Each structure stands twice: as structure tokens, then as C-alpha cells.
Amino acid sequence: MNTIFRKSMLSVAGLAFAGGVFAGPIAAHAATPVEAKPAAVAVQTAAPKPQGDQSHITLNDEQRTNVKAIIAATKKAGLPERAAVISIATSLQESKLENLGHLGDANDHDSLGLFQQRPTSGWGTPEQITNPEYSTTAFLKGLKQVDGWQDMPLTDAAQTVQVSAYPDAYAQWEQQATDLVGQHWNS
């Protein structure tokens, strides 16, 4: 059996040698340097398609001002348009883009501002949370801590930051948020 194994190994080695001798000149010729130009590769990343039925509201001047404040804070944080889309959709769900103060008995605990952030949950003081730049920056800070937020569905990214009792509700605002960012990002 040892002899059979040895003969098999010698046969394989012989074939490898013969293949190398035969292919050697071809391989050597192919190895001649050729001036190559890198191929242009276009990578286009389309925004994810919004999930589920979409909602839409008509914005007043205050709401449009808040959209612009969210976009400005996103740019200031050095984040891409997708972060602004997630932020605006979140604010649409939480406050309809209104910078809400304390709503008395209608208030959800101590939630305030565009994102309905809570002082008792560590988002900041009531004065900070009702400042659109501050509240957006706080939201974006939380978003940046979510691994893979850029590629996940909007509602998952928003929910991971907000920890809402209605985790799927953010998705309904994705189209309007995308449209608003498209309208105001370069203005």
C-alpha cells in the first residue's frame, strides 16, 4: 500500500511538472507588463424604498424652519443626507416637526421638543431639548452609536435611538422626509 501511495504521489508530481513546463512559456508571455487603465466603476446607492403606507402633512412656516434646522445640524455634524432623512422622519412622528413644550396632561411623561426627548432620560435640560439644533445634535449622537444605521431600514434606526412604544411608526414618514431633504439640503 505504501508503494501504491508513493507511485500516486510521483504521478501527481510528474503531471504538475509537465504542466508547469508546458504552461511556463505561456505564463511567462502573459506576465509581460501591459499598460492597464483602471476601469471606472460607478457605485450608485439609491435610498432605500420606504416601507409600508406613507403619511404626509402640509407644513407651516414653523415646521419648515424646523426642517431647515435639522438639516443644518446634520450638516454641522458632518453626516450625510440619510441622517437628515432619519431625523426628519423621527421628528414628523414624534411632534409633527413642532417644537413642543410641556403639554400638561397631554404630555407623555416629560417629553419635549422636536424629538420628544425626556430630561429624566438624560437627553438634556428642558431648555436644551427645546432648542432645535441641540435636540437634533443629541438625536444624531445617538444615531451615530447605532452600528450600521446607514444601511438599516429607517424605522429600525430611529427606534434604536428613540426606544418608542410604537417602533414601526417612523416608517410612514420616510417619503416625506426624503422629499424634504431633497428640497432643502442644497438651499
Side-chain angles (χ1 to χ4, degrees), residues 8-142:
S8 296
M9 292 306 293
L10 288 173
S11 296
V12 170
L15 286 173
F17 175 77
V21 169
F22 177 76
I26 296 169
H29 178 69
T32 305
V34 178
E35 186 177 325
K37 295 180 182 174
V41 178
V43 178
Q44 184 174 11
T45 55
K49 184 178 178 186
Q51 297 177 319
D53 294 336
Q54 295 294 293
S55 295
H56 185 277
I57 60 170
T58 301
L59 303 183
N60 62 31
D61 289 341
E62 176 195 355
Q63 292 164 313
R64 281 190 291 281
T65 298
N66 289 330
V67 165
K68 292 174 184 177
I70 290 170
I71 290 172
T74 303
K75 287 180 174 183
K76 188 174 180 179
L79 292 172
E81 292 176 50
R82 180 72 176 153
V85 170
I86 295 168
S87 299
I88 290 170
T90 301
S91 181
L92 277 163
Q93 174 58 32
E94 295 293 347
S95 69
K96 303 298 183 273
L97 286 166
E98 294 177 1
N99 194 11
L100 301 174
H102 196 280
L103 301 175
D105 291 341
N107 222 55
D108 178 23
H109 305 287
D110 58 340
S111 300
L112 302 169
L114 294 172
F115 297 90
Q116 289 296 279
Q117 296 158 329
R118 298 178 59 196
T120 57
S121 294
W123 285 99
T125 67
E127 294 77 25
Q128 290 171 321
I129 292 171
T130 54
N131 174 301
E133 181 180 357
Y134 177 91
S135 63
T136 301
T137 301
F139 176 82
L140 293 170
K141 182 179 177 184

